[in-house]
């Protein structure tokens, strides 16, 4: 049972027959037929307990402690991951798949590590604002997986030292920070060419895939090339 879209994709790419259930937000790979059990923040814990999975995989950021406690109280084993850096992502993926699910280390995980091993930022770091939501505006703050991914590509986000991980910042402040770049992912808020860049006049905007920026799973193998291309296309 997976309560995290990234981890659902990781299991599905390795041993899809193990998936007893997944959230409504688990969209990759397309066509998965496992039971849907609600959202990451509001899973149907009674339904999950009735399915009696051998293991529930979760994440400390994406899932609520109260839901995980309810699952444990129902007698289920819950494996909770923490992923705030790329290195943590690789470590936790192996923990879930090999130690948690009893699988052999998958080839796609080796490919993902190899893809990132050769990444080297060229030139001086660009200073960026990275919104993740609008109405209200929220941006990447300290200690985030997406922030670490961007840093490896030569993009330093301007709120990396903020005390909050996803602070709410007025748009007037965001546009006054003299950023070199605004990075706009298509999830959790779906920024598009017509919804987002206009709020940052005069600042180059990079529209990036949220899956490549924030998911940790098979997409990590494609992420360096996909994100590098999107950042280079900023206009």
């Amino acid at each position: 049972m997976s309560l995290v879209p990234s981890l659902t994709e990781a299991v599905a790419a390795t041993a899809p027959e193990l998936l007893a259930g997944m959230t409504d937000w688990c969209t990759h790979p397309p066509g998965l037929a496992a039971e849907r059990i609600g959202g990451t923040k509001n899973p149907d814990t009674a339904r999950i307990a009735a399915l009696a999975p051998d293991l529930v995989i979760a994440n400390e950021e994406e899932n609520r402690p109260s839901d995980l406690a309810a699952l444990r109280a129902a007698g289920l084993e819950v494996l909770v991951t923490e992923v705030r850096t790329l290195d943590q992502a690789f470590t936790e993926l192996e923990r879930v798949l090999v130690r948690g699910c009893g699988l052999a280390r998958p080839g796609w995980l080796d490919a993902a590590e190899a893809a990132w091993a050769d990444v080297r930022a060229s030139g001086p770091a660009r200073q960026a604002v990275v919104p993740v939501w609008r109405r209200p505006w929220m941006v990447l703050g300290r200690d985030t997986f997406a922030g670490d991914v961007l840093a490896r590509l030569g993009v330093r986000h301007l709120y990396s030292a903020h005390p909050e991980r996803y602070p709410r910042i007025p748009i007037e402040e965001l546009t006054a920070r003299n950023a070199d770049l605004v990075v706009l992912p298509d999830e959790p808020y779906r920024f598009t060419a017509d919804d987002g860049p206009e709020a940052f006049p005069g600042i180059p905007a990079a529209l990036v895939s949220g899956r490549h920026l924030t998911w940790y799973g098979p997409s990590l193998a494609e992420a360096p090339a996909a994100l590098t291309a999107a950042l280079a296309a900023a206009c």
Side-chain angles (χ1 to χ4, degrees):
M1 176 71 62
S2 174
L3 303 183
V4 185
S6 297
L7 298 178
T8 298
E9 184 179 20
V11 174
T14 311
E17 70 279 3
L18 295 185
L19 281 171
M22 58 188 177
T23 76
D24 297 340
W25 301 106
C26 295
T27 57
H28 286 79
L32 285 176
E35 185 85 13
R36 298 285 179 168
I37 48 76
T40 57
K41 306 296 186 186
N42 59 343
D44 186 339
T45 55
R47 177 60 180 151
I48 295 171
L51 290 169
D54 296 317
L55 179 69
V56 177
I57 50 178
N59 175 264
E60 51 89 28
E61 178 179 340
E62 295 199 48
N63 307 119
R64 300 185 305 177
S66 58
D67 292 323
L68 304 183
L71 294 173
R72 291 191 180 99
L76 300 180
E77 181 180 354
V78 181
L79 188 162
V80 182
T81 60
E82 178 183 279
V83 178
R84 302 191 181 190
T85 67
L86 186 63
D87 290 339
Q88 265 191 315
F90 292 133
T91 299
E92 291 288 61
L93 283 165
E94 179 160 358
R95 181 165 75 102
V96 167
L97 297 170
V98 178
R99 284 179 276 170
C101 297
L103 300 168
R105 180 182 167 92
W108 63 257
L109 185 52
D110 292 330
E113 289 206 52
W116 281 98
D118 294 331
V119 170
R120 298 290 184 273
S122 59
R126 284 181 284 179
Q127 309 299 307
V129 170
V130 189
V132 294
W133 200 257
R134 185 172 190 171
R135 305 182 191 93
W137 288 95
M138 299 174 67
V139 300
L140 291 186
R142 65 169 181 85
D143 197 22
T144 65
F145 172 73
D148 186 53
V149 165
L150 288 171
R152 291 167 187 264
L153 297 172
V155 177
R156 177 186 175 274
H157 66 94
L158 291 173
Y159 290 89
S160 60
H162 196 281
E164 298 178 25
R165 298 185 67 214
Y166 300 99
R168 297 184 179 190
I169 307 293
I171 189 64
E172 296 79 12
E173 178 179 333
L174 296 179
T175 55
R177 288 296 303 267
N178 296 318
D180 303 319
L181 181 70
V182 56
V183 179
L184 299 169
D186 61 9
E187 62 175 82
Y189 184 91
R190 187 171 181 79
F191 288 106
T192 68
D194 299 319
D195 185 356
E198 81 291 340
F200 297 88
I203 304 175
L207 295 166
V208 305
S209 160
R211 178 167 165 264
H212 289 121
L213 180 62
T214 65
W215 287 40
Y216 35 90
S219 60
L220 284 172
E222 310 163 358
L227 292 172
T228 296
L231 293 169
C235 58

